[in-house]
Amino acid sequence: MATSTLRKTRSTGRPTLEAVARLAGVSTITASRALRGLGSVGPDYVQRVKAAAAELNYVTNPAARALASSRSDAVAVVIPSLSNAVFVDVLESIHTALRPRGYEILIGNSHYSRNAEEDLIRHYLASPPSGLIVTGFDRTESARRLIDASGVPCVHIMELEEAEGVHCVGFSQARAGEAVAEHLIARGCRHNAFVAAQLDSRMMQRGEGFRETLQRKGLYDPDLEVLTPSPSSIGLGCDLFRQLLQRRPDVDGIFFGNDDLAQGALFEARRQGIAIPERVAIVGFNDLAGAADCVPRLTTVRTPRAEVGRIASSLLLSMIGNEPVASPVVDLGFELVVRESA
Amino acid sequence: MATSTLRKTRSTGRPTLEAVARLAGVSTITASRALRGLGSVGPDYVQRVKAAAAELNYVTNPAARALASSRSDAVAVVIPSLSNAVFVDVLESIHTALRPRGYEILIGNSHYSRNAEEDLIRHYLASPPSGLIVTGFDRTESARRLIDASGVPCVHIMELEEAEGVHCVGFSQARAGEAVAEHLIARGCRHNAFVAAQLDSRMMQRGEGFRETLQRKGLYDPDLEVLTPSPSSIGLGCDLFRQLLQRRPDVDGIFFGNDDLAQGALFEARRQGIAIPERVAIVGFNDLAGAADCVPRLTTVRTPRAEVGRIASSLLLSMIGNEPVASPVVDLGFELVVRESA
DNA sequence: CTGAAAGCGCTTACAG
DNA sequence: CTGAAAGCGCTTACAG
């Protein structure tokens, strides 16, 4: 009665599809199809297989599935930062849209580095995910080629670009910058500064829109552009604001490329007794948490993070499913939220 | 001369280990070992194999490797939130510690849900990662069992707990709460409130430490505990502060379980002309970005997020490598940072 | 609708 | 130090 364990097994001990099939009295292929809900299986069989799987506590081995089918149910999302709440918001809504559909979300953080992003993309593409979501268009040529060559459906987020075969959902960063300039000018500000950190491509596009509008109105002063590659932060906003006002006491309007910079400026202004918006009007960007509650309440540009994630996900789903896509570029717009600071 | 493609292939087209081995003139096993740096391969072979791999642009198929070896080079990290900068900081330092060692970091966000966490853990354990990092100890019994049964090395972060076979790195949330109470009392505050949101177990532990210290000094007033399960935010801090002061104008010290709550209170105080810390002393928790720059600068408890990530990673590495572990529980402490608000 | 065979691309366990 | 065989646990492509 001794069970003879003849062959040394490398098995993990967890139940396999074969065990499920045996218990259900069907072939493994049928079990596989039943579990995947392929339809071409008799309903009674589906019942039996599912019951067997439940009883054995069966879980598909993703590695085996990936190897056999050369596809995975993962969607890789590459963003430049997790410290920037903007991308956390986008991630959350992608998660909400894709998890219920059975996709696993792989989060890749490039830390605003083109090389790191290329490595991440190469890594993800090593076992091709079902889909790919990447941030913007500023990447290495190799990364671009990797994506193209992979054939993996890919949608670009946060920026817009019209190009053959490119799918994107976001809004025009440049036009947002223009809107801020127009608001400041309409308020009567004559000496408008642009203060930016990180200097990623989206930040620069906002700056361009801002600058071009000022130029058109004959109000552009290059000396009023304060750019630093340091990561954006509240503390940095304090410093930059102090330095700018010291150097150019005549400045009466400032567009901060990020809300945290603007909030720092608000704190520093308070500390120095500088009246906002009376002496200097301040506009932020993104409408992050706190913008509506600070003192004075921050005028800023609300960006559609959640919508970007949601729409990008459904666009990707269509592409994965080879369904027709209404439009390869989706402009979600933005909204200038005028509160107290400008 | 026509190449006869006899068998229909399902191949992905990407180069395989076999191709590398052929080009290098060795067996696939030797190529595998050379690429993995197993040592038991002649140096000349290693050279040849690596050159061949480079030439073919070979990348290991992770699914095949995982299937054959029944292990993966992934480390799964389960955190309760990405919106809370605390966990982003921890994640970053885990990333910094583990990526260079060749591990892929899988980020699981439980959204403060025990059931969601259990699902995540079950999912990750379906293809066992090399290691697991989970937040705290408040989880379902099933989740606990899954982890135990998996045999996957696991370290718990952010909280401490002495228990057989449990590895953790963090600090005592309760003692941090005690430290805040002692500071407030030493300042002369007699009516000390505890204001908390989210109400996860760590938040409650801080509250307990705070409460017990007040009780010991005969200063505890249960009416001064404001608890809400809503997610923590600056806006919520404004509301809670306003309501509390309306209901209990005698309150002269408040411990906010999170910096964002405290910052909201600072804004609201400013708006209502309430002097901080003269009329009410305010203490936050975590020392997040902005705490040092707001007005008045926030007194708070600095928590060792980066260190937690770093030490947890190295502990996990030791466990994965079956190396002896100095201590299964690592207390990294905390620091009360006294600034202007209390 | 169901299944036997072959294969996905690697690594383990044995030999030598 | 090197390799031939077998196997990891699924799914694809053919048949029926």
Side-chain angles (χ1 to χ4, degrees), chain A residues 10 12 14 59-64 66-68 70 82-83 88 91-92 95 99 104 107 109 111 120 123-128 234-235 238 267 270-271 289-290 293-295 297, chain B residues 10 12 14 59-64 66-68 70 82-83 88 91-92 95 99 104 107 109 111 120 123-128 234-235 238 267 270-271 289-290 293-295 297:
Chain A
R10 295 198 251 147
T12 53
R14 276 179 303 138
V59 182
T60 303
N61 180 322
L67 181 57
S70 69
L82 276 176
S83 311
V88 172
L91 237 28
E92 289 291 306
H95 197 271
R99 277 314 305 250
E104 165 160 34
I107 303 174
N109 181 349
H111 295 89
L120 281 169
H123 176 86
Y124 286 133
L125 260 20
S127 34
I234 291 181
C238 295
F267 286 135
R270 168 85 208 285
R271 224 168 260 129
D293 302 297
C294 54
V295 184
R297 302 186 196 276
Chain B
R10 295 197 250 147
T12 51
R14 276 179 304 138
V59 182
T60 302
N61 181 320
L67 181 57
S70 69
L82 276 177
S83 311
V88 172
L91 236 30
E92 289 290 305
H95 197 272
R99 276 316 303 251
E104 165 159 34
I107 302 173
N109 182 349
H111 295 89
L120 281 169
H123 176 86
Y124 286 133
L125 261 19
S127 35
I234 291 182
C238 295
F267 286 135
R270 170 85 207 285
R271 223 169 260 129
D293 302 297
C294 53
V295 183
R297 302 186 196 275

